[in-house]
Amino acid sequence: MKNGNLITAEALKEQGLTYVFGIMGHPVIDLALTMQSVGMQYLGFRNEQAACYAAQAYGYLTRKPAVVLCVSGPGLLHVIGGMANAQVNCWPVLVLGGSCPEDHEGIGGFQEWPQVEASRPYCKYAARPPSAALIPLHVEKAVRLATYGRPGAAYLDLSATLLKQNVDESKIAKVLPCPPAPLSYPDAKLIERAANLLIKAKKPLVIVGKGAAYGRAEDQVRELIYSTDVPFLPTPMGKGVVPDTDERCVSSARTYALQHSDVILLLGARLNWMLHFGRPPRFQNDVKVIQIDLCAEELHNSVPSAVAIQSDIAPATEYLANALRSRKWHVNRNHPWWKELVAKTEQNKQSVHQMSMDTSVPLNYYTVFKHIQDVLPKDCIICSEGANTMDIGRTILLNNLPRHRLDAGTFGTMGVGLGFAIAAALYCKDNAPKKRVICVEGDSAFGFSGMEIETMFRYKLPVIIIIVNNNGIYGGFDQETFKQIQASGDPTQVTPPFSLTANIHYEKLMEMFDKKGYFCTTVEDIQQALKLSFKVFDGPSLINIMINPQADRKTQQFNWLTESKL
């Protein structure tokens, strides 16, 4: 005989799942212990939302979902924020939620809540197995649906009744491990149409998206870029599919490239808010889009595509590169289009360089990021969140490897940083023990999940946390101004909504663990703190960098969030 706890744990193990992230409690206490007993690795978090952020980031890095384990009612409610983020971001994750005994339903059971119905809008699959004997069938289906097609979240509801149920071993459903997701191949005629369109383009541009990174398409995408000399732009998490340092990368001329391109090849990128919907004024009225995406429903979204190809990115890009090579097409570096892009790139780089050379105190964003970039290992994984911190940081903190940048993503979620960093650190521990994880946080963003620093200590994860502290959301006030504001009346009436308490010493959190954090106000402070932090391998480090509360990004031609023009 086996009970539901053991059946669940063994079913997860049979599907090749390794990590479980969550917070244990009624009714999943025994399940958490059973998971460890069958060889799964359990990490207890301080907040369920952070646990779900970590699990989905691990799924993105490995293409295999991690498990989130949560208690009933409010435990699952906390997780739903993470499920929504995974679903919008298209990352695989499997959530297991305990729920109240079935004979308590409808009469006010402890933490009773309609959990399957509540989860359904935020995932691809939500179900409660009708009996413990069928748990393996539902676990396999949840893993399959979370990973096949466009990845996303799956939810299984495990009532206390189900987990305690004993079943004769011969009656337990037998299922095989879920095979890897099948590859989708492109229509050859559409590849030819795409090649013809690129060959006729006067100002072609490739946009490399997160889908190319998740699809392990870096070899094919690099071959396309290298063999054609076509300029490219990465989306935030498309960074590193082709190295940011490659001379064909025109990120420094992003606005100019988008505005003037006549043919754009989208590789696993969506024309949503992050790409200004593919519409004017950020794009030409008559721009022609070649769209390659795994998800057929994404094709023609926002604007009609001239060529829309439903396929995995790797085979479609390989076929397209071969078609262009056979016709000996490439964009000559003396072409007027390249000269325009190079001129704009140099102009913008000079502007950023000037700001980054200003070492006066208080520091600005550009100076801080330049001196961080100068010492970062070339192969480190960078996790980042925050408003200006994330947006400016992604332009200066470079990635030369795919899947080495994790940030707030398509949903723009704050609070993801430390969970993402934990997942990245586990991935490094298993695959590249010497690789470092850098978690760059705005002070407001850090506040969402700052106690996960204790989780990092408990599991000895060597994450370097850098807080870029401007005393607020987008910006705050210096200490003297903040005191004057608060003294002028009721704080709820006079303190601006974007303001946080000035000069918070976040680095003192390290003292709870008998460790030392670093408070930095100068470039020399930053350099010394990083030097010492890179020597730590048995737990996290924390560097708190005070910058000018009024520091901002360089003047932009457009607001970063473009209105949709219908």
Side-chain angles (χ1 to χ4, degrees):
M1 299 288 284
K2 292 183 178 179
N3 66 18
N5 288 308
L6 183 56
I7 294 170
T8 302
E10 289 183 342
L12 296 168
K13 183 77 171 175
E14 180 68 19
Q15 294 304 321
L17 305 189
T18 305
Y19 283 107
V20 185
F21 305 144
I23 297 179
M24 65 177 285
H26 182 78
V28 294
I29 297 172
D30 287 342
L31 178 56
L33 295 170
T34 305
M35 287 171 166
Q36 286 184 312
S37 74
V38 301
M40 299 189 74
Q41 299 182 62
Y42 177 89
L43 284 85
F45 280 66
R46 303 305 297 266
N47 182 283
E48 292 95 346
Q49 217 165 326
C52 194
Y53 294 146
Q56 65 195 252
Y58 192 82
Y60 169 68
L61 293 169
T62 64
R63 292 173 63 100
K64 176 77 78 172
V67 178
V68 181
L69 182 64
C70 64
V71 302
S72 49
L76 177 63
L77 185 58
H78 290 169
V79 167
I80 278 179
M83 290 172 67
N85 192 69
Q87 191 71 359
V88 174
N89 237 14
C90 309
W91 290 357
V93 67
L94 172 56
V95 177
L96 305 181
S99 57
C100 76
E102 291 170 41
D103 58 339
H104 291 184
E105 292 178 347
I107 56 174
F110 175 67
Q111 295 184 335
E112 180 186 354
W113 195 42
Q115 298 184 181
V116 175
E117 294 87 342
S119 300
R120 190 162 282 126
Y122 310 102
C123 58
K124 294 178 67 179
Y125 178 64
R128 173 190 286 178
S131 71
L134 294 177
I135 287 174
L137 185 151
H138 285 271
V139 167
E140 188 277 336
K141 185 174 183 180
V143 170
R144 178 160 36 90
L145 294 188
T147 52
Y148 278 29
R150 172 182 277 179
Y155 172 69
L156 293 180
D157 193 67
L158 303 174
S159 69
T161 310
L162 196 69
L163 292 173
K164 292 178 180 177
Q165 190 178 91
N166 288 305
V167 180
D168 186 278
E169 200 164 344
S170 64
K171 295 182 179 179
I172 299 172
K174 302 292 191 296
V175 296
L176 295 173
C178 173
L183 276 178
S184 295
Y185 286 82
D187 183 327
K189 292 180 181 178
L190 294 177
I191 291 292
E192 282 301 312
R193 282 177 55 189
N196 289 337
L197 199 56
L198 282 167
I199 288 168
K200 293 175 184 175
K202 290 184 173 65
K203 298 183 177 183
L205 178 70
V206 175
I207 298 178
V208 181
K210 178 177 58 193
Y214 182 82
R216 300 326 195 246
E218 54 267 22
D219 290 344
Q220 294 81 2
V221 175
R222 290 181 184 192
E223 176 59 26
L224 172 68
I225 299 299
Y226 296 163
S227 64
T228 62
D229 274 337
V230 65
F232 77 93
L233 281 174
T235 65
M237 277 187 278
K239 285 163 64 68
V241 172
V242 184
D244 284 344
T245 52
D246 188 88
E247 60 185 357
R248 303 165 189 87
C249 180
V250 293
S251 291
S252 296
R254 184 181 192 271
T255 296
Y256 189 89
L258 294 179
Q259 270 193 299
H260 293 86
S261 297
D262 60 349
V263 175
I264 291 178
L265 171 61
L266 288 178
L267 298 177
R270 292 178 275 180
L271 290 177
N272 53 21
W273 68 272
M274 298 182 81
L275 285 173
H276 318 286
F277 313 106
R279 300 175 181 176
R282 287 295 188 109
F283 292 77
Q284 292 190 47
N285 274 309
D286 57 352
V287 65
K288 293 179 174 60
V289 175
I290 302 166
Q291 188 180 13
I292 302 178
D293 201 285
L294 176 65
C295 180
E297 291 83 353
E298 189 61 40
L299 301 177
H300 305 293
N301 191 38
S302 184
V303 297
S305 294
V307 183
I309 303 172
Q310 191 268 323
S311 172
D312 275 274
I313 304 300
T317 306
E318 180 180 358
Y319 290 2
L320 182 57
N322 288 340
L324 293 169
R325 189 186 301 107
S326 69
R327 295 162 76 168
K328 297 181 170 52
W329 179 78
H330 76 282
V331 184
N332 193 299
R333 297 305 293 271
N334 292 318
H335 191 284
W337 176 226
W338 258 120
K339 290 183 177 179
E340 293 170 30
L341 290 172
V342 169
K344 194 63 179 178
T345 294
E346 289 305 314
Q347 178 186 337
N348 289 339
K349 282 184 175 179
Q350 280 300 315
S351 175
V352 169
H353 178 71
Q354 287 178 0
M355 288 185 286
S356 68
M357 296 305 290
D358 178 7
T359 58
S360 60
V361 176
L363 299 170
N364 67 59
Y365 284 106
Y366 295 90
T367 301
V368 167
F369 288 132
K370 178 197 181 300
H371 287 88
I372 293 173
Q373 172 63 30
D374 284 348
V375 298
L376 281 187
K378 297 294 187 284
D379 66 343
C380 69
I381 296 179
I382 300 172
C383 307
S384 185
E385 61 174 332
N388 291 338
T389 296
M390 180 178 66
D391 294 338
I392 298 172
R394 70 166 62 111
T395 67
I396 301 176
L397 303 180
L398 304 180
N399 295 97
N400 287 332
L401 296 172
R403 298 171 297 282
H404 279 58
R405 166 108 192 168
L406 302 169
D407 70 16
T410 310
F411 213 23
T413 307
M414 291 297 102
V416 298
L418 273 70
F420 283 5
I422 288 171
L426 290 173
Y427 175 79
C428 292
K429 179 175 74 74
D430 295 339
N431 297 280
K434 294 183 179 180
K435 190 184 295 287
R436 299 310 304 257
V437 176
I438 315 297
C439 184
V440 185
E441 299 274 300
D443 51 324
S444 172
F446 177 75
F448 281 80
S449 54
M451 274 310 298
E452 299 304 336
I453 192 172
E454 188 273 330
T455 308
M456 294 177 182
F457 267 106
R458 202 171 350 124
Y459 297 107
K460 300 181 179 180
L461 301 175
V463 176
I464 298 175
I465 302 168
I466 301 173
I467 301 173
V468 182
N469 190 348
N470 67 352
N471 298 337
I473 303 170
Y474 302 112
F477 299 99
D478 62 78
Q479 195 163 24
E480 187 58 37
T481 304
F482 182 76
K483 287 180 180 178
Q484 291 174 6
I485 290 171
Q486 293 227 304
S488 65
D490 182 341
T492 63
Q493 290 287 302
V494 300
T495 306
F498 56 79
S499 177
L500 299 175
T501 304
N503 285 34
I504 290 291
H505 283 265
Y506 296 103
E507 77 284 352
K508 290 187 178 295
L509 286 170
M510 296 292 286
E511 295 176 10
M512 296 190 296
F513 310 98
D514 294 326
K515 301 291 184 181
K516 175 178 167 45
Y518 306 98
F519 182 75
C520 303
T521 59
T522 68
V523 166
E524 291 75 18
D525 291 342
I526 295 171
Q527 292 170 336
Q528 180 67 7
L530 285 167
K531 180 181 177 181
L532 294 171
S533 296
F534 280 123
K535 296 179 179 179
V536 178
F537 286 92
D538 62 347
S541 305
L542 195 153
I543 302 170
N544 180 21
I545 304 173
M546 289 302 309
I547 66 168
N548 186 342
Q550 302 302 313
D552 203 352
R553 65 189 78 192
K554 71 181 182 70
T555 303
Q556 296 189 341
Q557 185 176 352
F558 293 99
N559 290 329
W560 65 273
L561 183 57
T562 305
E563 291 299 316
S564 175
K565 304 295 183 185
L566 297 175

